[in-house]
Amino acid sequence: MRRTADNARAHPTEPTEPDTEAPQPSRGQVFARAVARGVDRQVAVARRKLSAGELGSLPVVLVLAAVWITFQSLNQSFLSPRNLSNLSVDVAGTGLIAVGIVFVLLIGELDLSVGSISGLAAAVFAVLNVNNGVPEWLAALIGVLTGTAAGTIQGFSFAKTRVPAFVVTLAGLLTWNGFMLYILGASGTVNLDEHGLVARLTSYYFTNDAVAYGLAAIAAAMVFLVCYQDRRRRKAVGMPYRSLRGIVTRTGVLAVIAFTGAYLLNRFQGLPLALLIFLAVVAGLDIVLRRTHYGRQIYALGGSVEAARRASLSVTGVQTAVLAISGTMAAIGGLFLASRITSVSQSSGSGVLLLNAIAAAVIGGTSLFGGRGTTWSAALGMLIIQSIASGMALTDTPAAVQFVITGGVLFAAVVIDSLSRRSQKAHGRA
Amino acid sequence: MPTPPLLALRGVCKRYGVVEVLTDIELEIYAGQVVALLGDNGAGKSTLVNVISGVAPADKGTIEWEGRAVPIKRPHDARDLGIATVYQDLALCGNLDVVGNLFLGREIRRFGFLDEVEMERRTRHLLERLTKGVPDLRVPTVSLSSGQRQTVAIARSLLCDPRVLLLDEPTAALGFEQTREVLDLVDQLRDRGLGVLLISHNMGDVKALADRAAVLRLGRNNGFFDVNTASQEQIISSVTGATENVPHRMASHESRW
Ligand SMILES: Nc1ncnc2c1ncn2[C@@H]1O[C@H](COP(=O)(O)OP(=O)(O)OP(=O)(O)O)[C@@H](O)[C@H]1O
Ligand SMILES: [Mg+2]
């Protein structure tokens, strides 16, 4: 589970609110002491987290910063509004697939069929809509449901037979790809309506500046309200709570990022619809995972299937649902990818798509061993992968180098994951 | 008619593959009593706990709850009856924090979302009853010490006011002070009318706490004792097999209690 650097929680016995301090020897002294204590505590918390293997998303953010700085120094247009805007749209398709992968990784399994499912869903949509005249919304819905069905079948087989999911989905990879080739038939390529609903998923921009700024403001306000409400309730029942300054800082950082993003996007064509949908899905599913009974079950399965079973959880149900979600997200991602190139062909969903989706989740910090990770990690990981790809394209680097670098980042992420898991265990045994 | 036992096993058998791990087990747990379940390693004690808690349902025989035969086919059934278990391996999810483990499968919700504040409050409340050194409630349980994890598992079993408590070596990883706290707690629970099945290798604890002792040997009943009257030697020789008990006498023994 994601841990936040939060001193109030790490030291549950002492509320860290400075305004509860009553006696006052001298203002300066008190302040100096409070600061020293605060710094000490932060260092202690950081050290404990480091040794306990809870690095959070810090390494990922550092890697992203390094990638951006490198490419910006190589090519001045890397951080230009135009490039960043395109980057954000490119992230959406594979990113949505990676979000589904996070669910599967959380229960300690792997889904290899997402590439094929994304291609199949896009093919179903294209053939129904373009070749058979089915209304676009209906064709898209059927395409997505195809993905859900494929995922459900795989999930159910996995849960019932207890064959590892990567084997079941490997069979799926071939099967769904076969279905897609059959549906597309001899012609092989279907061009989508350039002005249709699906095409506009990735070509529509909110040109009104107010949209991006407004949403940034709303997001920051919501985060602040939720944190503040939590603090109020904790305070009311006498439990440790976050300091107001902590909440303001946290919201402030978020607001700065959101408004900078909005500003840059508005300098190009405005907020891309694809980015908005992607962020909404990531945030929504993050809430499902970390704030609902359903999500808690997924994490529990990643920790210990046997413990979950003994706690009366429906293991079969959760496993099936997780692969169904992954299939659904793959299908939605497939529509976005088709929308980006306004066509569906026999190569849709093939190539490095599957590997990129898995790599994104892992690079972002979702553990391969299950039980640790968030949907935001998929977004961050995908941003890194896409940044490397975009930077390489700008600097005319051959694809071979791009693969090697992405592979190196993935390897580093896996090593960090494995090391932090080991140190966490060692910590427990100590 | 005397009050039937809270929980009774009649002729329970359990096999794993071709190995019969439990054969014709009889056991009765009364409200307000602590029954010690004794036996050497591999005698089948944990398997018996798994049978009662629905983790590994019995193949043969019946389980009676207050005199009525009840099916216990899965953990859910046992929980609905009011049976709570501290498993030997604790069965915690190492990646979840203390609060998450305590409320796993029965989370408190508020507007459909997890009510972390309320769950944390109750967790703290419960743990403070159990121990003086409450661990950080928000770290993953893998990074707690074995003793702290055991305390968490015990706290979890008490969360929903059970009527029967199955404790499989609950003090194995605990220090001196902690062990005393847990045994005191079991004592209190008995006084409140819970039926407790306590598995322990520590004869001292059994003598101090249990009302009755049931001995398992190689998957069969090997004697029942009233802890207050039987001598420690008697019980130990039954555990080690020095007195190979006659299975036929046992049934009559059981009914005399
Ligand atoms: N899942 C299983 N599959 C096969 N055999 C099992 C299984 N669980 C237990 N057994 C066997 O059942 C027998 C009894 O095991 P059990 O764990 O119940 O012993 P125990 O009395 O709890 O021992 P200990 O004091 O070491 O905890 C052992 O011989 C063991 O090999
Ligand atoms: Mg055992």
Side-chain angles (χ1 to χ4, degrees), chain A residues 86-98 117-119 121-123 125-126 136 140 143-144 192 197-204 206 272-282 328-344 348-349 353:
Chain A
N86 284 334
L87 194 62
S88 75
V89 177
D90 283 331
V91 159
T94 317
L96 286 166
I97 301 177
I117 290 183
S118 75
F125 162 77
E136 219 178 359
V144 171
L192 305 184
L197 214 69
V198 167
R200 299 218 301 185
L201 279 178
T202 54
S203 64
Y204 184 83
F206 295 96
L273 175 64
L275 179 65
L276 176 63
I277 296 178
F278 180 54
L279 289 180
V281 168
V282 168
T328 309
M329 295 307 297
I332 298 174
L335 291 183
F336 274 76
L337 290 171
S339 157
R340 193 72 171 132
I341 53 175
T342 55
S343 77
V344 177
S348 291
L353 173 62

Side-chain angles (χ1 to χ4, degrees), chain B residues 46 88 168-169:
Chain B
S46 300
Q88 189 168 14
D168 196 348
E169 306 196 23

Side-chain angles (χ1 to χ4, degrees), chain A residues 1 103 283-300 313 325, chain B residues 96 100 103-116 119:
Chain A
M1 204 176 275
F103 279 72
L285 289 181
D286 181 57
I287 291 171
V288 168
L289 273 180
R290 298 195 301 131
R291 297 274 174 257
T292 69
H293 168 65
Y294 175 71
R296 185 54 58 79
Q297 294 183 311
I298 295 179
Y299 280 106
L313 304 191
I325 289 175
Chain B
L96 296 186
F103 283 88
L104 185 57
R106 48 193 171 187
E107 290 87 357
I108 302 174
R109 285 172 240 188
R110 188 165 176 263
F111 312 127
F113 297 105
L114 300 182
D115 187 353
E116 294 286 354
M119 290 197 283

Side-chain angles (χ1 to χ4, degrees), chain B residues 2-7 10 28-35 163-164 193-196 212 254-255 257:
Chain B
T3 46
L6 205 48
L7 183 79
R10 310 279 182 217
E28 296 185 337
I29 299 173
Y30 286 89
Q33 278 197 355
V34 175
V35 181
R163 299 189 57 200
V164 166
L194 269 78
V196 180
R212 299 183 295 132
E254 175 83 353
S255 61
W257 284 0

Side-chain angles (χ1 to χ4, degrees), chain B residues 232-246:
Chain B
Q232 191 151 330
E233 290 69 35
Q234 255 180 310
I235 300 180
I236 289 179
S237 69
S238 171
V239 168
T240 57
T243 55
E244 201 62 66
N245 219 321
V246 206

Side-chain angles (χ1 to χ4, degrees), chain A residues 345-361:
Chain A
S345 72
Q346 295 185 333
S347 65
S348 291
S350 64
V352 291
L353 173 62
L354 164 69
L355 300 179
N356 272 348
I358 295 176

